Amino acid sequence: MVKCCSAVGCASRCLPNSKLKGLTFHVFPTDENIKRKWVLAMKRLDVNAAGIWEPKKGDVLCSRHFKKTDFDRSAPNIKLKPGVVPSIFDSVSHLQGKREKLHYRKNFTLKALPVTNHNHKLVDASSCVEEFQSQFIFEHSYSVMDSPKKLKHKLDHVISELEDTKKSLQNVLDREKRFQKSLRKTIRELKDECLISQETAKRLEAFCWD
């Protein structure tokens, strides 16, 4: 299954050529304190759970949501520096009007979740709800929020990915044809020199399908 970025409105998918385009994907931290900071930075709500969206095992964020200084590029595999928090997300200020059109649950309230304050002390999330509730984006709400321009951009992105995949497939088919042609020539030369038997030649020719 292709992994997709968990950020609301982000169309990034983890494809074979993602790294070639400078796009990397990163799982949520195992440290609960850092993971909570990631979730709060995303400002994403889960309508079904009536609370803040919670990442599941395997959920990822793409590198577009991190600053360049957040990465450790000293090793072949690019990774995030310890303790960094994503900070680049689509602005939600222009979406406030459209959010009113969403079908909220009646008397929707956020569930209280454990978070830490600036002194790294555990506090109850209810004291932080008012600060964040006006900024959160509801899960799946981006399906009605995207502008035609943004949808066109996503469509162009998907078409580009399909074209890249088509070219890669064609290259594989071309290499296969060259291999079969070379194999047929080699078998013919070996037969002419009586270096292989007719039976062996037939077995080798089985790999030269049209």
Side-chain angles (χ1 to χ4, degrees):
M1 180 182 291
V2 176
K3 290 185 177 181
C4 301
C5 181
S6 298
V8 174
C10 184
S12 297
R13 298 188 303 160
C14 187
L15 299 172
N17 62 345
S18 293
K19 285 188 176 181
L20 296 177
K21 296 183 177 182
L23 191 63
T24 54
F25 291 80
H26 308 273
V27 297
F28 282 73
T30 55
D31 183 285
E32 289 299 326
N33 186 35
I34 303 299
K35 181 168 71 173
R36 180 58 50 200
K37 291 180 180 180
W38 280 39
V39 172
L40 292 177
M42 292 172 64
K43 298 181 176 65
R44 174 175 173 178
L45 291 179
D46 186 347
V47 175
N48 296 323
I52 300 173
W53 176 83
E54 287 291 322
K56 300 178 180 63
K57 183 178 180 180
D59 284 342
V60 296
L61 277 182
C62 74
S63 54
R64 289 174 176 165
H65 306 291
F66 297 87
K67 296 180 291 188
K68 292 182 179 180
T69 54
D70 290 339
F71 296 94
D72 179 0
R73 303 177 186 275
S74 59
N77 291 328
I78 298 175
K79 60 182 181 180
L80 293 170
K81 295 178 181 177
V84 300
V85 178
S87 57
I88 304 174
F89 296 97
D90 288 342
S91 172
V92 298
S93 58
H94 66 288
L95 302 176
Q96 296 302 319
K98 292 184 179 181
R99 285 180 56 191
E100 299 301 325
K101 297 180 182 179
L102 296 177
H103 298 288
Y104 295 172
R105 288 187 177 182
K106 189 175 181 180
N107 299 323
F108 180 87
T109 56
L110 289 176
K111 290 180 179 178
L113 297 173
V115 297
T116 57
N117 59 16
H118 294 296
N119 295 322
H120 304 289
K121 294 181 179 179
L122 197 66
V123 297
D124 188 84
S126 58
S127 62
C128 304
V129 168
E130 291 185 2
E131 177 183 354
F132 291 101
Q133 190 167 16
S134 64
Q135 302 177 39
F136 274 104
I137 305 174
F138 282 79
E139 184 181 15
H140 305 312
S141 64
Y142 53 85
S143 62
V144 297
M145 292 179 181
D146 287 345
S147 64
K149 183 177 180 181
K150 193 168 185 178
L151 290 172
K152 177 64 166 54
H153 174 73
K154 289 182 179 180
L155 178 60
D156 290 341
H157 176 73
V158 172
I159 292 175
S160 176
E161 297 289 352
L162 288 174
E163 289 295 331
D164 290 343
T165 303
K166 183 179 179 180
K167 290 178 182 178
S168 298
L169 179 59
Q170 187 60 51
N171 289 336
V172 171
L173 293 175
D174 290 342
R175 286 197 299 270
E176 183 181 339
K177 288 180 180 179
R178 289 195 295 270
F179 167 77
Q180 292 183 22
K181 184 177 180 180
S182 176
L183 182 58
R184 289 193 185 95
K185 181 180 178 182
T186 302
I187 294 172
R188 185 168 58 253
E189 290 175 349
L190 291 173
K191 286 171 61 178
D192 292 343
E193 297 292 332
C194 297
L195 297 177
I196 58 174
S197 64
Q198 289 290 339
E199 182 179 355
T200 300
K202 288 182 179 180
R203 289 181 179 179
L204 291 173
E205 287 171 350
F207 293 97
C208 302
W209 59 86
D210 294 329

